Amino acid sequence: MPRRVTRALIAATVIGVLALTACSTPASPGTGSGDAGTPTKGGELVVGLDRELPSLDPLAGTISAAPALMLAEALYPPLMIAGEAGTVAPGLAESFTPDDTAKTWTLKIPADLTFSDGSPLTTESIQAHVKRLSDPANGSSAAGQARQIAGMEIVDDTTMVFTLAIANADFASLFQRSLGMIASTTAKDAFGFPLGAGPYVVDDFVAGDSVTVARNEKYWGKPANLDTIVFKMMPDADSRFQSLQSGDLGIMVSETANQFKQAREDDKLAVHAGAISVTSLLLNLTSPKFQDPEIRRALAQAIDRDALNAVVNLGEGKPVDSPYSLLGESAPTVDYPKYDPKAAEKVLKDADLSFTLTVSSLPSALQRATALKDMFAKVGVDVTIAPVDAASFTGVMASKQFEAADFVTSIFSDASGAALVFSTGAPYNLTGYSNKSVDAGLAAIASETDPAERAKSYEDVSAILAEDLPALWMTASNFGYISSADLVGVRDMTGLTFISIDPAEIGWAGK
């Protein structure tokens, strides 16, 4: 059964039709190879993941992280998927639409959805899934999102209505990850994971090593092309790339600029990626070192964002200047501090400023930190780089035990991300920032469904952030996949700010 592509979010932003970017050319945000041939039926694909997955249950949240979304789509295809320029479109759902207040949302699903054992997936299944994730006793990372829901009314097996505690025009975007990855609350597979409604089922699971999925023979939709897909957990980026080059892998997750560059120069490989990982330097505003707005502005003037893009991203990303920089034609024009080392030095040379920069131990993060250290040294600021193991970095950030930190995230792939980072007391507000005008602007964005009005609020919020500077913007860098050129059927990623691959549609090209 083909998926209907009805636009759900009325915040849809129309962007110009972008030509597909050939694999041999640098990527712009959300570019990919699209369909380069017709997949054949059968065969096996081996995927290199960049992390270990202790659980496949959407409740745990690890499977809904961006690098694992391909596996999630195999087992628990989300109700909503990425649309263009930060919007969302129906995935498993038929439609998901708000009323004029953005407080009431109506979800419609196809009538013939089933879990992998053939049992029906109805609106009651969705209600039970959401209740499971919202229960504090279950410890789901999506509980905070689920708590936005004040009520769920089931109209019939295919229609239900969500009533929100407060208006949220971006509510549907929450259903791209755990909240929308519907898992059975009554049936589990042989490995103890809840059944999903995906085109594949778990055939083998070895904790810390691999997951093998096999075609779901009871799948409600069009059968998948590949017989099996093996997801290998390979945290080391160099090992993954070497395995891809040798043919041991068919596709791999990557966010390493040099790997994308090498892949574009190799006609045996293809790149499916976009500049969607936004990097910024977070300043802990509880530190006396960053209390003075003039100091923060001078630090922003010391950062050469074009140079960072050229050196760290090898020119494949782009400079950013607001949390809305990825939103296509809706991205605001911002009067953000321009690179001006002389002006920065004038303020900073006598400030006797030094601070510690906390950074993930990933190579790209260390390279960016080194470049920042050099830039700040030129204006009289001494920076000490404090690398943290990648597996522990998230916890360090959450504890807010840093002076300044290198922040890399895909949370700004849609408009709702800014509220999560810059609202007073928001879950990802790691800097301690608080501004009533920004809170009001973000609340206005959340309750506004008219695209033009939302765009005005993007400008207002971005202008204040450019004055207050709790975060110093840097670049959007590439994230995505590198595959064998013989792997075809990959989703067209033009204009997308949220990268994933539909495992049901891909397969090996016929010889």
Side-chain angles (χ1 to χ4, degrees), residues 77-90:
L79 289 169
M80 304 301 289
I81 61 175
E84 294 177 348
T87 64
V88 292

Side-chain angles (χ1 to χ4, degrees), residues 186-502:
T186 59
K188 297 181 178 180
D189 63 20
F191 304 91
F193 302 122
L195 300 186
Y200 288 90
V201 295
V202 180
D203 189 56
D204 192 23
F205 175 78
V206 181
D209 183 77
S210 64
V211 183
T212 301
V213 300
R215 185 190 298 119
N216 175 9
E217 300 300 340
K218 296 181 180 179
Y219 184 49
W220 54 273
K222 177 185 173 183
N225 293 311
L226 294 162
D227 293 331
T228 56
I229 305 177
V230 181
F231 293 86
K232 288 194 172 183
M233 304 172 195
M234 304 175 66
D236 185 79
D238 291 338
S239 296
R240 287 199 308 278
F241 195 57
Q242 291 165 6
S243 295
L244 180 68
Q245 290 174 308
S246 69
D248 291 337
L249 295 179
I251 188 171
M252 60 170 276
V253 173
S254 181
E255 54 183 339
T256 304
N258 188 49
Q259 291 178 348
F260 288 123
K261 184 175 186 297
Q262 289 185 62
R264 294 181 199 286
E265 295 170 349
D266 187 340
D267 60 9
K268 294 180 180 178
L269 299 177
V271 173
H272 320 279
I276 64 163
S277 290
V278 172
T279 63
S280 60
L281 182 66
L282 298 187
L283 303 178
N284 192 330
L285 301 184
T286 64
S287 169
K289 297 180 179 179
F290 304 121
Q291 294 291 310
D292 186 347
E294 191 176 9
I295 293 290
R296 301 199 296 271
R297 182 175 182 81
L299 290 173
Q301 291 173 316
I303 298 175
D304 187 343
R305 291 171 291 151
D306 289 323
L308 286 177
N309 189 49
V311 174
V312 182
N313 301 339
L314 300 180
E316 296 214 357
K318 67 172 187 177
V320 296
D321 54 18
S322 86
Y324 306 108
S325 290
L326 302 183
L327 303 187
E329 291 186 350
S330 287
T333 299
V334 183
D335 185 18
Y336 185 80
K338 292 181 172 53
Y339 175 57
D340 190 343
K342 290 184 178 178
E345 184 179 16
K346 188 175 181 180
V347 173
L348 295 169
K349 67 178 181 180
D350 297 324
D352 192 27
L353 178 64
S354 63
F355 62 85
T356 298
L357 172 56
T358 301
V359 59
S360 163
S361 61
L362 292 173
S364 58
L366 289 172
Q367 187 180 16
R368 185 166 47 251
T370 301
L372 285 172
K373 179 181 172 71
D374 291 344
M375 291 176 187
F376 288 135
K378 290 178 180 176
V379 297
V381 177
D382 182 34
V383 172
T384 299
I385 299 173
V388 175
D389 178 76
S392 305
F393 186 71
T394 301
V396 172
M397 294 292 288
S399 71
K400 303 179 183 178
Q401 298 300 309
F402 64 87
E403 289 189 316
D406 180 69
F407 187 53
V408 184
T409 182
S410 61
I411 203 169
F412 301 120
S413 61
D414 63 61
S416 66
L420 298 174
V421 176
F422 297 112
S423 290
T424 301
Y428 300 108
N429 186 336
L430 306 176
T431 64
Y433 177 65
S434 179
N435 184 308
K436 291 181 180 178
S437 295
V438 168
D439 289 344
L442 293 170
I445 291 169
S447 61
E448 180 58 67
T449 57
D450 179 76
E453 293 300 320
R454 284 168 64 90
K456 290 179 183 176
S457 293
Y458 298 162
E459 287 197 7
D460 294 341
V461 169
S462 298
I464 300 172
L465 291 175
E467 288 289 330
D468 290 350
L469 297 165
L472 310 184
W473 300 106
M474 293 189 280
T475 68
S477 57
N478 267 349
F479 167 81
Y481 297 86
I482 303 173
S483 75
S484 162
D486 290 332
L487 187 71
V488 297
V490 176
R491 174 184 293 152
D492 178 8
M493 296 178 182
T494 304
L496 301 185
T497 58
F498 195 78
I499 302 298
S500 184
I501 287 178
D502 185 348

